[in-house]
Each structure stands twice: as structure tokens, then as C-alpha cells.
Amino acid sequence: MNTFQEQLEQYADVALQKGINIQEGQGVIINAPIEASDFVHVLTAKAYGRGAKDVYVQWGDNVLTYMKMKHASEEVIANFPRWRAQGLEEMAKDGYSVVNVYGPDPDLLKDIDSERVAKANKASAEALTTYRDYIMEDKITWTIVAFPHPDWAKKLFPNDPVALAQDKLWEQIFHITRIDREDPLEAWDEHNEQLRQARERLNKKQFKKLHYKAPGTDLTIELVNDHVWAGGAAESTAGVKFNPNMPTEEVFTMPHKYGVNGTVRSTMPLNYDGNLIEDFSLTFEDGKVVDYQAGSGEESLKYLLETDEGAKRLGEVALVPVESPISQSGHVFYNTLFDENASCHIALGKAYPTNVQNGTSMSEEERDKNGVNDSLVHEDFMIGSSELDIDGEHENGTQEPVFRNGTWAGDFKK
């Protein structure tokens, strides 16, 4: 078995070679918590070793974030420094890739007024709109990889000392991202090929609608015309293949913003920027959320939905079978990067323009006409379980099974 340091080095290799697929002469932006400095140092060294011209690191600090959210004036909370946004925009325009090292504390802001959190989120989303467009339209390569932040590790393993909890979470991360395989890079190639086959089977069908049935869920989702199922490796506008999420177990496409009807119930907690929203349901009419309730975190859900008009509509529908290694781990990770890859999910807010043919070249008016949702937010939440059935409806009204009991059915079985 490889040592921890050897696995960390392999993890960095996977993030750089299969995640962003770094090219010689390219710059890299790394966003990471300060606790991940050892991993960031490995990433940086390897990036320069592979020919990066520059590595720019933005550090995050949970303690400072909490202090600001607790004590800063509302004027400060509701404003995002324009110079920070402009710097990121300039680097994106220059072709920098982005590595987000992600390991949030699910309870960081649980005692902060939800309205303050909502104002801060909206301010950053508005300021970073252009930068985010570079990412969501695949104009640059980008990836998200996990780091076992001490607070996240303690959430998962509350009875263990912090160091042991982190060790356990590292073990989970390395397993789920295939670092414990004999050749992690080759394992990712094989996994990407499996996801490519799954999305191609769906693309050939071009279903008009998907019908979801599960306890608490009876939902119909219309898909946009000429929708494109994606998953696994993506391709930037420059033709560079990359993996946006590591781990990834999903195939996903675009719902029609005006074509969602019925009720859906969450099956896992949603970690929404330091607050947990649990046991919640949403009711849709003509694409819009018209009613909602939550067992806890309802105030946070309210402010999420009120971010803007698009936050009340869907921007993504994703399929993940219960055989996912994340699902099989038996853990709820309280981390969307992991939990969304354990379960079928949908997303409130902005759609990926790449999920419809010619979507990146459409004007705002054309996107709206074609049912492409726009918003300042994009929040995935989990609706899958071993009790979920999904049927695909064709243009002529005939239906066929896509999922039964939480996994592929009919023509979609491997």
C-alpha cells in the first residue's frame, strides 16, 4: 500500500492531469482553505513541474469568514470588492484554469442570521457573474477536489479526535476518487468512458420529459429541445478535455425552465453556505416553485429561493445510480460535491449553456425562449434513493423505464 504522502502526490496528479488537464504555459488559480496548505504546496509544485506559468492561490479562513459574517456592517456584507472580481476575470480571460479545493464546515454559519448570509451570497454572485460564465460555459478548464477540513471531518466522525477523523475522511476521499487503485489515472480514463456511454444512450433517446416517483415525490420535468446529456469528462471551448468534479458519478442535462410540475422531496441534507437545510420539499407549477417546507433550515431555503426569479426554477437534472461508490460508503457527507454524486439530484438556478446545442452562442433572449434558466445561484440538492423510479417520455407520448429502485433500467442497464 502506498504511503499517505504518495497518495497525496497521486491525488495532485489526478487533479492536474484529469481535473484541469493543465497545459504548458498556462496559469492556474487555486482556491483553498488555509488548513489545506500542505496539499496546495504539492499541487503548486506539480503545476510548475508541468509547465504552469503562474499559480495564484486564494486562501479561505473559516474563522475570519465567521467573524466577518458575525460583526461586519450590513453595508460591508452586501458588497463584494470589485477589484477581486476584476482580478479573477482578467486571469480567466488569460486562460487560467481553476482548482477549487473544497471542504466546507456544514455548520459554520448556523447561528448567523440567514438574511445576512443571503445578502453576502448575492453580492458575491453578482460581482463574479462574468468569472462564473467562463466556468459554466467551459471557456476555461476547472475542477473541484475535496479536502478533509477539520470541521468537516468532525461532522462526519464526531466521536473521534480531529486527527483521526481527518485520517478517516482522507481514506474515504482517496477511495472515492480512485487514488487507491493501482493506476489512478488509468482508472479515471475507464470511469470517464463508462459515463460517456451512459450519456450517449440518453442523448440518442432525446426524451421530451422525465417522470419521477418516490415517497414524497411525484414530479414531471420537461427537457429542452436539442438537450445534451453530459457527464464525466467535459471539453473546453479550446478543445481541452477535463473533469469538472472529482469525484463524479453523474450524467446531467437541462430541464425546461417553464416545464417542471409536481412535488419533490429531498433525500439528503443540503449544505447551503454554512447552513444545513434538511427534510425539505418543493412544489412546482409551470417551472416555478410555488410552495416549500423544510424540517430545519427553512429560513435559509426561503432566502435561497428569493435570490432572484431564476432561483425558483431548475437549471439541472442529474442521474446517479445507487451503485455509486459514494452511496455505497453509507455516509451522508454534508458536502454537495460528494452527496450529489451519491444520489440523483436537481439544481435550483442557473443552467449550464453547454447542456443544449449551440447554447453558448445564444443571446439571453434566445436562451429564455429555448427554456434555458438563468440565475445568480446554482444549488444542487439530492432526491435519489433506492425507492426512486424514473420514466422517460418520448415526443409521441410513449414512456419507457430509465430508473427502477434507484438504478438504471431497461435499455440503460450496462
Side-chain angles (χ1 to χ4, degrees), residues 371-388:
V372 182
N373 195 33
D374 191 26
S375 175
L376 292 171
V377 300
H378 178 96
E379 286 295 330
D380 299 278
F381 64 95
M382 286 53 78
I383 63 171
S385 73
S386 60
E387 299 177 282
L388 175 65

Side-chain angles (χ1 to χ4, degrees), residues 238-395:
V240 179
K241 290 185 178 180
F242 68 103
N243 272 91
N245 289 353
M246 307 188 89
T248 185
E249 303 291 336
E250 65 177 321
V251 288
F252 62 97
T253 195
M254 185 185 296
H256 195 293
K257 66 184 290 186
Y258 300 115
V260 182
N261 289 279
T263 297
V264 63
R265 176 168 290 279
S266 68
T267 53
M268 291 184 183
L270 168 61
N271 173 18
Y272 179 54
D273 287 329
N275 284 287
L276 285 179
I277 306 171
E278 301 181 90
D279 189 26
F280 63 97
S281 64
L282 304 173
T283 299
F284 293 84
E285 289 183 7
D286 298 327
K288 184 177 180 179
V289 175
V290 294
D291 192 22
Y292 62 90
Q293 57 184 351
S296 63
E298 189 169 289
E299 191 79 356
S300 294
L301 179 58
K302 171 181 180 289
Y303 284 114
L304 167 59
L305 292 168
E306 292 178 351
T307 303
D308 54 25
E309 185 63 25
K312 301 178 182 70
R313 300 181 184 274
L314 294 185
E316 178 187 328
V317 52
L319 304 179
V320 181
V322 293
E323 294 89 349
S324 155
I326 306 171
S327 178
Q328 293 299 307
S329 75
H331 288 289
V332 175
F333 283 90
Y334 304 101
N335 177 319
T336 300
L337 173 63
F338 275 62
D339 290 334
E340 73 170 0
N341 286 296
S343 167
C344 288
H345 56 274
I346 52 183
L348 292 165
K350 187 176 179 66
Y352 288 95
T354 51
N355 279 138
V356 62
Q357 290 182 27
N358 303 314
T360 57
S361 61
M362 290 180 185
S363 66
E364 289 184 16
E365 293 76 13
E366 289 172 326
R367 290 182 184 181
D368 181 69
K369 183 179 179 181
N370 283 275
V372 182
N373 195 33
D374 191 26
S375 175
L376 292 171
V377 300
H378 178 96
E379 286 295 330
D380 299 278
F381 64 95
M382 286 53 78
I383 63 171
S385 73
S386 60
E387 299 177 282
L388 175 65
D389 292 340
I390 305 173
D391 288 314
E393 180 178 322
H394 294 278
E395 192 72 41

Side-chain angles (χ1 to χ4, degrees), residues 56 59 73 101 118 180 196 202 209 212 220 223 242 251 253 274 306 311 321 327 333 360 372 409 412:
Y56 174 76
W59 297 108
S73 68
V101 181
D180 59 0
R196 186 196 67 78
L202 286 160
K209 298 177 181 178
Y212 289 70
T220 300
L223 305 179
F242 68 103
V251 288
T253 195
E306 292 178 351
S327 178
F333 283 90
T360 57
V372 182
F412 300 96

Side-chain angles (χ1 to χ4, degrees), residues 174-193:
F174 287 153
H175 174 65
I176 289 168
T177 56
R178 297 170 170 78
I179 303 305
D180 59 0
R181 305 290 179 87
E182 183 175 347
D183 186 337
L185 296 172
E186 183 179 319
W188 270 94
D189 287 338
E190 293 172 356
H191 182 53
N192 280 330
E193 175 58 22

Side-chain angles (χ1 to χ4, degrees), residues 118-143:
K119 286 181 178 179
N121 290 339
K122 187 171 184 178
S124 63
E126 288 175 339
L128 296 172
T129 296
T130 301
Y131 170 67
R132 188 175 61 162
D133 285 346
Y134 272 86
I135 292 172
M136 295 196 73
E137 297 181 14
D138 292 345
K139 295 177 181 177
I140 57 176
T141 65
W142 57 280
T143 195

